[in-house]
Amino acid sequence: LSDFQFVGITEEWDLTVCLWHRMFGGGRAAPDNTQLPWWSECRATHFLNTRPSADIYGAPRVGKVYDTAPLLGFVDEIDGELYALGRDIFATLLGEFGVNHDACEPCYRQAGRG
């Protein structure tokens, strides 16, 4: 996981999209050959949940808490460690690229979110 160039976090989707654009977006030349800013490619569709979860009846899970009772207390420790490492890498990347909600405002605005 430490060799991944990019790690995003679903629960931090707006920052994940913004970080992606900060790391890999922009850099494209405009028709007049000037450099476009990193946030110039931010689009509203990039912020959509294109794979929403649903319960067994097909109803959206938005705002619902996942019922862990059927797990009978089982905790996947390896998955937890992997997730924690992913969160750490994400936090490091946010810091390295200066990404936070204030810095992402141009991206949000370009996408019609702000």
Coordinates of all heavy atoms in Angstrom, one line a residue, residues 10-102:
T10 N -13.3 7.0 1.0 CA -14.7 7.2 0.7 C -15.4 8.2 1.6 O -16.2 9.1 1.1 CB -15.5 5.9 0.7 OG1 -14.8 5.0 -0.2 CG2 -16.9 6.0 0.3
E11 N -15.2 8.1 2.9 CA -15.8 9.0 3.8 C -15.3 10.5 3.7 O -15.9 11.4 4.3 CB -15.5 8.6 5.3 CG -16.1 7.2 5.6 CD -15.2 6.0 5.3 OE1 -14.2 6.2 4.6 OE2 -15.4 4.9 5.7
E12 N -14.3 10.7 2.9 CA -13.7 12.0 2.7 C -13.8 12.3 1.2 O -12.8 12.7 0.6 CB -12.3 12.1 3.2 CG -12.1 11.8 4.7 CD -12.5 13.0 5.5 OE1 -12.8 14.1 5.0 OE2 -12.5 12.9 6.8
W13 N -14.9 12.0 0.6 CA -15.0 12.0 -0.9 C -14.6 13.3 -1.5 O -13.9 13.4 -2.5 CB -16.3 11.5 -1.4 CG -16.4 11.3 -2.8 CD1 -17.0 12.0 -3.8 CD2 -15.7 10.3 -3.6 NE1 -16.8 11.5 -5.0 CE2 -16.0 10.4 -4.9 CE3 -14.8 9.2 -3.2 CZ2 -15.4 9.6 -5.9 CZ3 -14.3 8.4 -4.2 CH2 -14.6 8.6 -5.5
D14 N -15.1 14.4 -1.0 CA -14.8 15.7 -1.6 C -13.3 16.0 -1.5 O -12.7 16.4 -2.5 CB -15.6 16.9 -0.9 CG -17.1 16.9 -1.2 OD1 -17.5 16.0 -2.0 OD2 -17.8 17.7 -0.7
L15 N -12.7 15.7 -0.4 CA -11.2 15.9 -0.3 C -10.5 14.9 -1.2 O -9.4 15.2 -1.8 CB -10.7 15.8 1.1 CG -11.1 17.0 2.0 CD1 -10.6 16.7 3.5 CD2 -10.4 18.2 1.5
T16 N -11.0 13.7 -1.4 CA -10.4 12.7 -2.2 C -10.4 13.2 -3.7 O -9.3 13.1 -4.4 CB -11.1 11.4 -2.1 OG1 -10.9 10.8 -0.8 CG2 -10.6 10.4 -3.1
V17 N -11.5 13.7 -4.1 CA -11.6 14.2 -5.5 C -10.7 15.4 -5.7 O -9.9 15.5 -6.7 CB -13.1 14.6 -5.9 CG1 -13.1 15.4 -7.2 CG2 -14.0 13.4 -5.9
C18 N -10.7 16.3 -4.7 CA -9.8 17.5 -4.8 C -8.3 17.1 -4.8 O -7.6 17.6 -5.6 CB -10.1 18.4 -3.6 SG -9.2 19.9 -3.6
L19 N -8.0 16.1 -3.9 CA -6.6 15.7 -3.9 C -6.2 15.1 -5.2 O -5.1 15.3 -5.7 CB -6.4 14.7 -2.8 CG -5.0 14.0 -2.7 CD1 -3.9 15.1 -2.4 CD2 -5.0 13.0 -1.6
W20 N -7.1 14.3 -5.8 CA -6.8 13.7 -7.1 C -6.5 14.8 -8.1 O -5.5 14.7 -8.9 CB -8.0 12.8 -7.6 CG -7.8 12.3 -9.0 CD1 -8.2 12.9 -10.2 CD2 -7.1 11.1 -9.3 NE1 -7.8 12.1 -11.2 CE2 -7.1 11.0 -10.8 CE3 -6.4 10.1 -8.6 CZ2 -6.5 10.0 -11.4 CZ3 -5.8 9.1 -9.3 CH2 -5.9 9.0 -10.7
H21 N -7.3 15.8 -8.2 CA -7.1 16.9 -9.1 C -5.8 17.6 -8.8 O -5.1 18.1 -9.7 CB -8.3 17.8 -9.2 CG -9.4 17.3 -10.0 ND1 -9.4 17.3 -11.3 CD2 -10.6 16.7 -9.6 CE1 -10.5 16.8 -11.8 NE2 -11.2 16.4 -10.8
R22 N -5.5 17.8 -7.5 CA -4.3 18.5 -7.2 C -3.1 17.8 -7.6 O -2.1 18.3 -8.0 CB -4.3 18.8 -5.7 CG -3.1 19.6 -5.2 CD -3.3 21.0 -5.7 NE -2.1 21.8 -5.3 CZ -1.1 22.1 -6.0 NH1 -1.1 21.7 -7.3 NH2 -0.1 22.8 -5.6
M23 N -3.1 16.4 -7.4 CA -2.0 15.6 -7.8 C -1.8 15.4 -9.3 O -0.7 15.4 -9.8 CB -2.1 14.2 -7.1 CG -1.9 14.3 -5.6 SD -2.1 12.7 -4.7 CE -0.7 11.8 -5.3
F24 N -2.9 15.2 -10.0 CA -2.9 14.7 -11.4 C -3.6 15.6 -12.4 O -3.4 15.5 -13.6 CB -3.5 13.3 -11.5 CG -2.8 12.3 -10.6 CD1 -3.6 11.8 -9.5 CD2 -1.5 11.9 -10.7 CE1 -3.0 10.8 -8.7 CE2 -0.9 11.0 -9.9 CZ -1.7 10.5 -8.8
G25 N -4.4 16.6 -11.9 CA -5.2 17.4 -12.8 C -4.4 18.6 -13.3 O -3.3 18.9 -12.9
G26 N -5.1 19.4 -14.1 CA -4.5 20.6 -14.6 C -3.2 20.3 -15.4 O -3.1 19.2 -15.9
G27 N -2.4 21.2 -15.6 CA -1.1 21.0 -16.3 C -1.3 21.0 -17.8 O -0.4 21.0 -18.6
R28 N -2.6 20.9 -18.2 CA -2.9 20.9 -19.6 C -2.8 22.3 -20.2 O -3.2 23.3 -19.5 CB -4.3 20.4 -19.8 CG -4.8 20.1 -21.2 CD -6.1 19.3 -21.2 NE -7.2 20.1 -20.5 CZ -7.9 21.0 -21.1 NH1 -7.7 21.3 -22.4 NH2 -8.9 21.6 -20.5
A29 N -2.4 22.5 -21.4 CA -2.2 23.8 -22.0 C -3.6 24.2 -22.6 O -4.3 23.4 -23.2 CB -1.2 23.8 -23.1
A30 N -3.9 25.5 -22.3 CA -5.1 26.1 -22.9 C -4.9 26.4 -24.3 O -3.8 26.3 -24.8 CB -5.4 27.4 -22.1
P31 N -6.0 26.7 -25.1 CA -5.8 27.0 -26.5 C -4.8 28.1 -26.8 O -4.1 28.0 -27.9 CB -7.2 27.4 -27.0 CG -8.1 26.7 -26.1 CD -7.4 26.7 -24.7
D32 N -4.6 29.0 -25.9 CA -3.6 30.1 -26.1 C -2.2 29.7 -25.6 O -1.4 30.5 -25.5 CB -4.1 31.4 -25.5 CG -4.2 31.3 -24.0 OD1 -3.9 30.3 -23.4 OD2 -4.5 32.4 -23.4
N33 N -2.1 28.4 -25.3 CA -0.8 27.8 -24.8 C -0.4 28.3 -23.4 O 0.7 28.0 -22.9 CB 0.3 28.2 -25.7 CG 1.0 26.9 -26.2 OD1 0.5 25.8 -26.0 ND2 2.1 27.0 -26.9
T34 N -1.3 28.9 -22.6 CA -1.1 29.2 -21.2 C -1.4 27.9 -20.4 O -2.2 27.1 -20.8 CB -1.9 30.4 -20.7 OG1 -3.3 30.0 -20.9 CG2 -1.6 31.6 -21.4
Q35 N -0.8 27.8 -19.2 CA -1.0 26.7 -18.4 C -2.3 26.8 -17.6 O -2.6 27.9 -17.0 CB 0.1 26.6 -17.4 CG 0.3 25.3 -16.7 CD 0.9 24.2 -17.6 OE1 1.2 24.5 -18.7 NE2 1.0 23.0 -17.0
L36 N -3.2 25.8 -17.7 CA -4.4 25.8 -16.9 C -4.2 25.5 -15.5 O -3.3 24.7 -15.2 CB -5.4 24.8 -17.5 CG -5.9 25.1 -18.9 CD1 -6.8 23.9 -19.4 CD2 -6.8 26.4 -18.9
P37 N -4.9 26.0 -14.5 CA -4.7 25.7 -13.1 C -5.2 24.2 -12.8 O -5.9 23.7 -13.6 CB -5.6 26.7 -12.4 CG -6.6 27.1 -13.4 CD -6.0 27.0 -14.8
W38 N -4.6 23.7 -11.7 CA -4.9 22.3 -11.4 C -6.4 22.0 -11.2 O -6.8 20.9 -11.5 CB -4.1 21.9 -10.1 CG -4.6 22.6 -8.9 CD1 -4.1 23.8 -8.3 CD2 -5.7 22.3 -8.0 NE1 -4.7 24.2 -7.2 CE2 -5.7 23.2 -7.0 CE3 -6.6 21.2 -8.0 CZ2 -6.7 23.2 -6.0 CZ3 -7.5 21.2 -6.9 CH2 -7.5 22.2 -5.9
W39 N -7.2 23.0 -10.8 CA -8.6 22.7 -10.5 C -9.5 22.9 -11.8 O -10.7 22.7 -11.7 CB -9.1 23.6 -9.4 CG -8.6 25.0 -9.5 CD1 -7.5 25.6 -8.9 CD2 -9.2 26.1 -10.3 NE1 -7.4 26.9 -9.3 CE2 -8.5 27.3 -10.1 CE3 -10.3 26.1 -11.1 CZ2 -8.8 28.5 -10.7 CZ3 -10.6 27.3 -11.8 CH2 -9.8 28.5 -11.6
S40 N -8.9 23.3 -12.9 CA -9.7 23.6 -14.1 C -10.5 22.4 -14.6 O -11.5 22.6 -15.3 CB -8.8 24.1 -15.2 OG -7.9 23.1 -15.6
E41 N -10.1 21.2 -14.3 CA -10.8 20.0 -14.8 C -11.9 19.5 -13.7 O -12.4 18.4 -14.0 CB -9.9 18.9 -15.1 CG -8.9 19.3 -16.3 CD -9.7 19.5 -17.6 OE1 -10.6 18.8 -17.9 OE2 -9.3 20.4 -18.3
C42 N -12.1 20.2 -12.6 CA -13.1 19.7 -11.6 C -14.5 19.8 -12.2 O -14.8 20.9 -12.8 CB -13.0 20.5 -10.4 SG -11.4 20.4 -9.5
R43 N -15.2 18.7 -12.1 CA -16.6 18.7 -12.7 C -17.5 18.2 -11.6 O -17.2 17.4 -10.8 CB -16.6 17.8 -13.9 CG -15.7 18.1 -15.0 CD -16.2 19.3 -15.8 NE -15.3 19.6 -16.9 CZ -14.4 20.6 -16.9 NH1 -14.3 21.3 -15.8 NH2 -13.7 20.8 -17.9
A44 N -18.8 18.6 -11.7 CA -19.8 18.2 -10.8 C -19.9 16.6 -10.8 O -20.1 16.0 -9.7 CB -21.1 18.8 -11.1
T45 N -19.8 16.0 -11.9 CA -19.9 14.6 -12.0 C -18.8 13.8 -11.2 O -19.0 12.7 -10.8 CB -19.9 14.1 -13.5 OG1 -18.7 14.6 -14.1 CG2 -21.1 14.6 -14.2
H46 N -17.7 14.5 -11.0 CA -16.6 13.8 -10.2 C -17.0 13.6 -8.8 O -16.4 12.8 -8.1 CB -15.3 14.6 -10.3 CG -14.8 14.8 -11.7 ND1 -13.8 15.6 -12.0 CD2 -15.2 14.3 -12.9 CE1 -13.6 15.6 -13.3 NE2 -14.4 14.8 -13.8
F47 N -18.0 14.4 -8.3 CA -18.4 14.3 -6.9 C -19.6 13.4 -6.7 O -20.1 13.3 -5.5 CB -18.7 15.7 -6.4 CG -17.4 16.6 -6.3 CD1 -17.0 17.4 -7.4 CD2 -16.6 16.6 -5.1 CE1 -15.9 18.1 -7.3 CE2 -15.5 17.4 -5.1 CZ -15.1 18.1 -6.2
L48 N -20.2 12.9 -7.7 CA -21.4 12.0 -7.6 C -21.0 10.7 -7.1 O -19.9 10.1 -7.4 CB -22.0 11.9 -9.0 CG -22.6 13.1 -9.6 CD1 -23.2 12.8 -11.0 CD2 -23.7 13.7 -8.7
N49 N -21.9 10.1 -6.3 CA -21.8 8.7 -5.9 C -22.4 7.8 -7.0 O -23.6 7.7 -7.1 CB -22.5 8.5 -4.5 CG -22.4 7.1 -4.0 OD1 -21.8 6.2 -4.7 ND2 -22.9 6.8 -2.9
T50 N -21.5 7.3 -7.8 CA -22.0 6.5 -8.9 C -22.2 5.0 -8.6 O -22.6 4.2 -9.4 CB -21.0 6.5 -10.1 OG1 -19.7 6.1 -9.7 CG2 -20.9 8.0 -10.6
R51 N -21.9 4.6 -7.3 CA -22.0 3.3 -6.9 C -22.7 3.3 -5.5 O -22.1 2.8 -4.5 CB -20.7 2.5 -6.8 CG -19.9 2.4 -8.1 CD -20.4 1.3 -8.9 NE -19.5 1.0 -10.0 CZ -19.5 1.5 -11.2 NH1 -20.4 2.4 -11.4 NH2 -18.7 1.1 -12.1
P52 N -23.9 3.8 -5.4 CA -24.5 3.9 -4.1 C -24.9 2.5 -3.5 O -25.3 1.6 -4.3 CB -25.8 4.7 -4.3 CG -26.1 4.5 -5.7 CD -24.8 4.4 -6.4
S53 N -24.7 2.3 -2.2 CA -25.1 1.1 -1.6 C -26.6 1.0 -1.4 O -27.3 2.0 -1.4 CB -24.4 1.0 -0.2 OG -23.1 1.0 -0.3
A54 N -27.1 -0.2 -1.4 CA -28.5 -0.4 -1.1 C -28.7 -1.5 -0.2 O -27.9 -2.4 0.0 CB -29.2 -0.7 -2.5
D55 N -29.9 -1.5 0.6 CA -30.1 -2.6 1.5 C -30.7 -3.8 0.6 O -30.8 -3.7 -0.6 CB -31.1 -2.2 2.6 CG -32.5 -1.8 2.1 OD1 -32.8 -2.1 1.0 OD2 -33.2 -1.1 2.9
I56 N -31.0 -4.9 1.3 CA -31.5 -6.1 0.6 C -32.8 -5.9 -0.2 O -33.1 -6.6 -1.1 CB -31.6 -7.3 1.5 CG1 -32.7 -7.0 2.6 CG2 -30.3 -7.7 2.1 CD1 -33.0 -8.2 3.4
Y57 N -33.5 -4.8 0.1 CA -34.7 -4.4 -0.6 C -34.5 -3.4 -1.7 O -35.4 -3.0 -2.4 CB -35.8 -3.9 0.4 CG -36.0 -4.9 1.5 CD1 -35.5 -4.6 2.8 CD2 -36.7 -6.1 1.3 CE1 -35.7 -5.6 3.8 CE2 -36.8 -7.0 2.3 CZ -36.4 -6.7 3.6 OH -36.5 -7.6 4.6
G58 N -33.3 -3.0 -1.9 CA -32.9 -2.0 -3.0 C -33.0 -0.6 -2.5 O -32.8 0.3 -3.3
A59 N -33.4 -0.3 -1.3 CA -33.5 1.0 -0.8 C -32.1 1.6 -0.5 O -31.2 0.9 0.0 CB -34.3 1.1 0.5
P60 N -31.9 2.9 -0.8 CA -30.5 3.5 -0.6 C -30.2 3.4 0.9 O -31.0 3.5 1.7 CB -30.7 4.9 -1.1 CG -32.0 5.0 -1.8 CD -32.8 3.8 -1.4
R61 N -28.9 3.3 1.1 CA -28.3 3.3 2.5 C -27.9 4.6 3.0 O -27.4 4.7 4.1 CB -27.1 2.4 2.6 CG -27.4 0.9 2.6 CD -26.1 0.2 3.1 NE -26.3 -1.2 2.9 CZ -26.8 -2.0 3.8 NH1 -27.2 -1.6 5.0 NH2 -26.9 -3.3 3.6
V62 N -28.2 5.7 2.2 CA -27.7 7.0 2.6 C -28.2 7.4 4.0 O -29.4 7.3 4.2 CB -28.2 8.0 1.5 CG1 -27.9 9.4 2.0 CG2 -27.7 7.7 0.2
G63 N -27.3 7.7 4.8 CA -27.6 8.1 6.2 C -27.9 7.0 7.1 O -28.2 7.2 8.3
K64 N -27.9 5.7 6.6 CA -28.2 4.6 7.5 C -26.9 4.0 8.1 O -25.9 4.1 7.4 CB -28.9 3.5 6.7 CG -30.3 3.9 6.2 CD -30.9 2.8 5.4 CE -32.3 3.2 4.9 NZ -32.9 2.2 4.0
V65 N -27.0 3.5 9.3 CA -25.9 2.8 9.9 C -25.9 1.3 9.6 O -27.0 0.7 9.6 CB -26.0 3.1 11.4 CG1 -24.8 2.3 12.1 CG2 -25.9 4.5 11.8
Y66 N -24.8 0.8 9.2 CA -24.7 -0.6 8.9 C -24.8 -1.4 10.1 O -24.2 -1.2 11.2 CB -23.3 -0.8 8.2 CG -23.1 -2.3 7.8 CD1 -23.7 -2.7 6.6 CD2 -22.3 -3.1 8.5 CE1 -23.5 -4.0 6.2 CE2 -22.1 -4.4 8.1 CZ -22.8 -4.9 7.0 OH -22.6 -6.2 6.6
D67 N -25.7 -2.4 10.1 CA -26.0 -3.3 11.2 C -24.9 -4.4 11.3 O -24.8 -5.3 10.5 CB -27.4 -3.9 11.1 CG -27.7 -4.8 12.2 OD1 -27.0 -4.8 13.3 OD2 -28.7 -5.6 12.1
T68 N -24.1 -4.3 12.3 CA -23.0 -5.2 12.5 C -23.4 -6.4 13.4 O -22.6 -7.3 13.6 CB -21.7 -4.5 13.1 OG1 -22.0 -4.0 14.3 CG2 -21.2 -3.5 12.1
A69 N -24.6 -6.4 13.9 CA -25.1 -7.5 14.8 C -24.8 -8.9 14.2 O -24.4 -9.8 15.0 CB -26.5 -7.3 15.2
P70 N -25.1 -9.1 12.9 CA -24.9 -10.5 12.4 C -23.4 -10.9 12.4 O -23.1 -12.1 12.3 CB -25.3 -10.3 10.9 CG -26.3 -9.2 10.9 CD -25.8 -8.2 11.9
L71 N -22.5 -10.0 12.7 CA -21.1 -10.4 12.8 C -20.7 -11.0 14.1 O -19.6 -11.6 14.3 CB -20.2 -9.2 12.5 CG -20.3 -8.5 11.2 CD1 -19.4 -7.3 11.1 CD2 -19.9 -9.5 10.1
L72 N -21.7 -10.9 15.1 CA -21.5 -11.5 16.4 C -20.2 -11.1 17.1 O -19.5 -11.9 17.7 CB -21.6 -13.0 16.3 CG -22.9 -13.6 15.7 CD1 -22.8 -15.1 15.6 CD2 -24.1 -13.2 16.6
G73 N -19.9 -9.8 16.9 CA -18.7 -9.3 17.6 C -17.4 -9.5 16.8 O -16.3 -9.0 17.3
F74 N -17.4 -10.1 15.7 CA -16.2 -10.4 14.9 C -15.6 -9.0 14.4 O -16.4 -8.2 13.9 CB -16.5 -11.3 13.7 CG -15.3 -11.4 12.8 CD1 -14.2 -12.2 13.1 CD2 -15.2 -10.7 11.6 CE1 -13.1 -12.3 12.3 CE2 -14.1 -10.8 10.8 CZ -13.1 -11.6 11.1
V75 N -14.3 -8.8 14.6 CA -13.6 -7.7 14.1 C -12.5 -8.1 13.2 O -11.7 -8.9 13.7 CB -13.1 -6.8 15.3 CG1 -12.3 -5.6 14.7 CG2 -14.2 -6.3 16.2
D76 N -12.5 -7.7 12.0 CA -11.4 -8.0 11.0 C -10.2 -7.1 11.3 O -10.2 -6.0 10.8 CB -11.9 -7.9 9.6 CG -10.9 -8.4 8.6 OD1 -9.7 -8.5 8.9 OD2 -11.3 -8.8 7.5
E77 N -9.3 -7.6 12.1 CA -8.2 -6.8 12.5 C -7.3 -6.4 11.4 O -6.7 -5.3 11.3 CB -7.4 -7.5 13.6 CG -8.2 -7.6 14.9 CD -7.4 -8.4 16.0 OE1 -6.2 -8.5 15.9 OE2 -8.1 -8.9 16.9
I78 N -7.1 -7.3 10.4 CA -6.2 -7.0 9.3 C -6.8 -5.9 8.4 O -6.1 -5.0 8.0 CB -5.9 -8.3 8.5 CG1 -5.1 -9.2 9.3 CG2 -5.2 -7.9 7.2 CD1 -4.8 -10.6 8.7
D79 N -8.1 -6.0 8.2 CA -8.8 -5.0 7.4 C -8.7 -3.6 8.2 O -8.5 -2.6 7.5 CB -10.3 -5.3 7.2 CG -11.0 -4.4 6.3 OD1 -10.5 -4.2 5.2 OD2 -12.1 -3.9 6.7
G80 N -8.8 -3.6 9.5 CA -8.7 -2.4 10.3 C -7.3 -1.8 10.1 O -7.2 -0.6 10.0
E81 N -6.3 -2.7 10.1 CA -4.9 -2.2 10.0 C -4.7 -1.6 8.6 O -4.0 -0.5 8.5 CB -3.9 -3.3 10.2 CG -3.8 -3.8 11.7 CD -2.9 -4.9 11.8 OE1 -1.9 -5.1 11.0 OE2 -3.1 -5.7 12.8
L82 N -5.2 -2.2 7.6 CA -5.1 -1.8 6.2 C -5.8 -0.4 6.1 O -5.2 0.5 5.5 CB -5.7 -2.8 5.2 CG -5.6 -2.4 3.8 CD1 -4.1 -2.3 3.3 CD2 -6.3 -3.5 2.9
Y83 N -7.0 -0.3 6.6 CA -7.7 1.0 6.6 C -7.0 2.1 7.3 O -6.9 3.2 6.8 CB -9.1 0.8 7.1 CG -10.0 2.0 7.1 CD1 -10.5 2.4 5.9 CD2 -10.2 2.8 8.2 CE1 -11.3 3.6 5.8 CE2 -11.0 3.9 8.2 CZ -11.5 4.3 7.0 OH -12.3 5.5 6.9
A84 N -6.4 1.8 8.4 CA -5.7 2.8 9.2 C -4.5 3.2 8.4 O -4.2 4.4 8.4 CB -5.3 2.2 10.6
L85 N -3.8 2.3 7.8 CA -2.6 2.7 6.9 C -3.1 3.6 5.8 O -2.5 4.6 5.5 CB -1.9 1.4 6.4 CG -0.7 1.7 5.5 CD1 0.3 2.5 6.2 CD2 -0.1 0.4 5.0
G86 N -4.2 3.2 5.1 CA -4.7 4.0 4.1 C -5.1 5.4 4.5 O -4.8 6.4 3.9
R87 N -5.7 5.6 5.7 CA -6.0 6.9 6.3 C -4.7 7.7 6.5 O -4.7 8.9 6.3 CB -6.8 6.7 7.6 CG -8.1 6.1 7.5 CD -9.3 6.9 7.5 NE -9.3 8.3 7.8 CZ -10.3 9.1 7.6 NH1 -11.4 8.7 6.9 NH2 -10.3 10.4 7.9
D88 N -3.7 7.0 7.0 CA -2.4 7.7 7.3 C -1.8 8.2 6.0 O -1.3 9.3 5.9 CB -1.4 6.8 8.0 CG -1.8 6.5 9.4 OD1 -2.7 7.2 10.0 OD2 -1.2 5.5 10.0
I89 N -1.8 7.4 5.0 CA -1.3 7.8 3.7 C -2.1 9.0 3.1 O -1.5 9.9 2.6 CB -1.2 6.6 2.7 CG1 -0.2 5.6 3.1 CG2 -0.9 7.1 1.3 CD1 -0.3 4.3 2.4
F90 N -3.4 8.9 3.2 CA -4.3 10.0 2.8 C -3.9 11.3 3.5 O -3.8 12.3 2.8 CB -5.7 9.6 3.0 CG -6.7 10.6 2.5 CD1 -6.9 10.8 1.2 CD2 -7.5 11.2 3.4 CE1 -7.9 11.7 0.7 CE2 -8.5 12.1 3.0 CZ -8.7 12.4 1.7
A91 N -3.8 11.2 4.8 CA -3.5 12.4 5.6 C -2.1 13.0 5.2 O -2.0 14.2 5.1 CB -3.5 12.1 7.1
T92 N -1.2 12.1 4.9 CA 0.2 12.5 4.5 C 0.1 13.2 3.1 O 0.7 14.3 2.9 CB 1.2 11.4 4.4 OG1 1.3 10.8 5.7 CG2 2.5 11.8 3.9
L93 N -0.7 12.7 2.2 CA -0.8 13.3 0.9 C -1.5 14.6 1.0 O -1.1 15.6 0.3 CB -1.6 12.3 -0.1 CG -0.8 11.1 -0.5 CD1 -1.8 10.1 -1.3 CD2 0.4 11.4 -1.3
L94 N -2.5 14.7 1.8 CA -3.2 16.0 2.0 C -2.2 17.1 2.4 O -2.2 18.2 1.9 CB -4.4 15.9 3.0 CG -5.6 15.1 2.7 CD1 -6.5 15.0 3.8 CD2 -6.3 15.6 1.4
G95 N -1.4 16.7 3.4 CA -0.4 17.6 3.9 C 0.7 18.0 2.8 O 1.0 19.1 2.6
E96 N 1.2 17.0 2.1 CA 2.2 17.2 1.1 C 1.7 18.1 -0.1 O 2.5 18.9 -0.6 CB 2.6 15.9 0.5 CG 3.6 15.1 1.4 CD 4.0 13.7 0.7 OE1 3.7 13.5 -0.5 OE2 4.5 12.9 1.5
F97 N 0.4 18.0 -0.4 CA -0.1 18.7 -1.5 C -0.9 19.9 -1.1 O -1.5 20.6 -1.9 CB -0.9 17.8 -2.4 CG -0.1 16.9 -3.3 CD1 0.3 15.7 -2.8 CD2 0.4 17.3 -4.5 CE1 1.1 14.8 -3.5 CE2 1.2 16.5 -5.2 CZ 1.6 15.2 -4.7
G98 N -0.9 20.2 0.2 CA -1.6 21.4 0.8 C -3.1 21.4 0.5 O -3.7 22.4 0.2
V99 N -3.7 20.2 0.6 CA -5.2 20.0 0.3 C -6.0 20.0 1.6 O -5.7 19.3 2.6 CB -5.4 18.7 -0.5 CG1 -6.9 18.4 -0.6 CG2 -4.8 18.8 -1.8
N100 N -6.9 20.9 1.7 CA -7.9 21.0 2.7 C -9.1 21.7 2.1 O -9.1 22.1 0.9 CB -7.4 21.8 4.0 CG -7.0 23.2 3.6 OD1 -7.7 23.9 3.0 ND2 -5.7 23.5 4.0
H101 N -10.2 21.8 2.8 CA -11.5 22.3 2.2 C -11.3 23.8 1.7 O -11.8 24.1 0.7 CB -12.6 22.2 3.2 CG -13.1 20.8 3.4 ND1 -13.7 20.1 2.3 CD2 -13.1 20.0 4.4 CE1 -14.0 18.9 2.8 NE2 -13.6 18.8 4.0
D102 N -10.5 24.6 2.5 CA -10.3 25.9 2.0 C -9.5 26.0 0.7 O -9.8 26.7 -0.2 CB -9.5 26.8 3.1 CG -10.4 27.1 4.3 OD1 -11.6 27.1 4.1 OD2 -9.8 27.3 5.3

